[in-house]
Amino acid sequence: MADDNDTLVRRFLAAFNTKNADELAPYLHPEVVFHNYGDDEIRGRDAVVGLWKGVFENFERVEFETVHQAVNGDVVIAEQIHGLALPGGPLAPVMNMAVYEIEDGRIIAWRDYTNPVKARELLAA
């Protein structure tokens, strides 16, 4: 990928809105490590894509957006809203902070920080 790191992460986040996990793969380094705070790390592009395939199957709607984003070299920090709707439910605006580390034009490390209690509360509304 020839994108600068800011554009790379913005395009990556936009790919979630397709609900097609295979669209995420080009942005991920083969040795990516994904850590959703509070859960076990997921290692490798195929494992991360597989995880998101399962997530997308559970949600009727996925609408992610970037609120603010800062770039310092190969590190990108993004405040995001993860809009998620279970089948028949309202869109829950789950706030998330993400940290991405970029290597060779792809995401090699990705950490998400979300309040899981608040996320469950919003999804249950």
Side-chain angles (χ1 to χ4, degrees), residues 44-98:
R45 179 173 43 214
D46 293 342
V48 172
V49 169
L51 168 79
W52 283 97
K53 282 182 182 181
V55 170
F56 291 153
E57 288 174 5
N58 289 323
F59 291 98
E60 185 172 71
R61 289 172 53 204
V62 174
E63 297 178 14
F64 285 10
E65 68 176 281
T66 300
V67 178
H68 297 100
Q69 186 161 291
V71 180
N72 185 4
D74 289 333
V75 176
V76 179
I77 299 173
E79 178 184 14
Q80 303 164 338
I81 299 173
H82 291 180
L84 300 168
L86 292 166
L91 191 68
V94 178
M95 293 302 299
N96 183 69
M97 183 63 72

Side-chain angles (χ1 to χ4, degrees), residues 13 16 34 38 64 90:
L13 191 72
F16 283 83
F34 171 58
F64 285 10

Side-chain angles (χ1 to χ4, degrees), residues 110-125:
W110 165 22
R111 295 177 296 282
D112 268 356
Y113 301 93
T114 300
N115 180 331
V117 173
K118 184 65 175 177
R120 283 192 296 276
E121 190 179 288
L122 289 167
L123 287 165

